[in-house]
Amino acid sequence: MIHAVAIDDEPVALSIIRQFCLRDGDVALDSYSDPVEGLEAVRRIRPQLVFLDIEMNGISGLDVARTLPEGTFLIFTTAYARFALDGFELNAVDFLHKPFSWARFETALGKVREQMRLRSAAAGGSGGEITVKSEYRNINVRFSDICYIEAMDNYAKIHVSGGNTVLTQTSLKDLEDMLPKERFVRIHRSYIISLDRVSSYTGRNVTLSGPVTLPVGRVYASEFMKLMMSRKPQGSAG
């Protein structure tokens, strides 16, 4: 799930963005018609993506864009094509010229997802870690420190070595996409585990070093068992 904020002083434009996000089905959107309120929300919520109009009641979206938290993906939405170059100079992922179609919106989201994938791959390949937002900070979490990850409403709790935890607004699905498949697996709608931490397992539960025992969801059981049986023996298959 992509967490996004839309800032636009035109109610119709916000309505279209909301409709398209619902149609996509994988974007959780908060929308604001007041740019000051919207920017405050961005700083508080720390979304992954911001849809931003450029001319809003005398406030320049370009100026707003310059104050966005580092690492925020940005898509400009405006009726003025002449601003496109300025937008791309601010490293916007895309520029949607109003009125834009669903197909064009979908293309822009595809670019964002590809940028997310590349960022995650770079983090995983050059240090064995992921970077997540926790409150107002970016925190690097090493793969080797992760025991398991637990979904908690709109958050995810990363359980790391030493019994510590990191609470992040990054969704479990996004974390699953960020982690290397050869080291981590989803066993339940609420849990991702480190395969290196498995002590024993059955088709119904898995025990990790610590120890901690977690349930294996029915829809995940078959693939989990196949994966474990294909690996070198690490414990009992009960």
Side-chain angles (χ1 to χ4, degrees):
M1 180 71 69
I2 297 175
H3 296 276
V5 164
I7 305 174
D8 197 311
D9 62 352
E10 298 178 20
V12 173
L14 285 179
S15 177
I16 290 172
I17 294 173
R18 281 195 295 268
Q19 291 175 33
F20 284 172
C21 287
L22 286 171
R23 184 172 176 179
D24 176 83
D26 196 40
V27 181
L29 181 74
D30 292 305
S31 56
Y32 299 87
S33 58
D34 183 296
V36 175
E37 183 182 353
L39 182 57
E40 290 175 352
V42 168
R43 290 170 175 165
R44 182 179 70 255
I45 299 171
R46 295 281 178 147
Q48 296 159 294
L49 170 63
V50 171
F51 296 96
L52 183 62
D53 189 15
I54 289 183
E55 289 201 340
M56 300 175 289
N57 293 328
I59 295 178
S60 168
L62 297 174
D63 291 337
V64 173
R66 293 185 179 96
T67 66
L68 293 178
E70 185 178 353
T72 305
F73 294 100
L74 172 64
I75 294 177
F76 278 115
T77 60
T78 182
Y80 303 97
R82 66 179 183 273
F83 291 118
L85 181 59
D86 293 327
F88 285 121
E89 287 178 349
L90 288 169
N91 294 320
V93 176
D94 208 344
F95 183 97
L96 293 176
H97 186 204
K98 300 176 184 176
F100 46 85
S101 66
W102 158 248
R104 185 65 186 83
F105 182 86
E106 190 178 29
T107 297
L109 277 184
K111 292 180 181 180
V112 171
R113 289 189 171 101
E114 177 63 12
Q115 289 293 318
M116 287 181 171
R117 186 192 68 78
L118 291 173
R119 182 181 292 179
S120 298
S126 63
E129 63 184 22
I130 55 173
T131 301
V132 298
K133 292 186 181 300
S134 182
E135 296 181 341
Y136 296 100
R137 297 178 299 159
N138 289 324
I139 296 180
N140 297 325
V141 183
R142 293 183 299 179
F143 297 149
S144 58
D145 286 340
I146 298 174
C147 300
Y148 68 99
I149 306 173
E150 177 183 8
M152 300 185 67
D153 295 325
N154 296 324
Y155 296 85
K157 181 182 286 188
I158 304 174
H159 296 257
V160 298
S161 302
N164 298 316
T165 61
V166 176
L167 190 64
T168 176
Q169 286 182 301
T170 307
S171 71
L172 202 66
K173 177 62 171 65
D174 288 340
L175 288 170
E176 183 181 10
D177 292 340
M178 294 164 67
L179 294 166
K181 300 297 185 289
E182 68 274 12
R183 296 183 64 176
F184 296 88
V185 64
R186 190 161 183 172
I187 61 166
H188 189 278
R189 64 181 180 179
S190 298
Y191 297 108
I192 294 171
I193 65 168
S194 167
L195 292 169
D196 296 334
R197 302 279 180 156
V198 175
S199 297
S200 63
Y201 62 92
T202 70
R204 293 186 177 182
N205 56 63
V206 57
T207 298
L208 308 177
S209 54
V212 59
T213 299
L214 302 174
V216 176
R218 286 187 299 174
V219 297
Y220 300 92
S222 177
E223 288 302 314
F224 171 65
M225 291 298 289
K226 287 179 184 177
L227 176 62
M228 294 307 297
M229 297 298 279
S230 69
R231 289 168 61 87
K232 294 180 179 179
Q234 298 181 50
S236 171

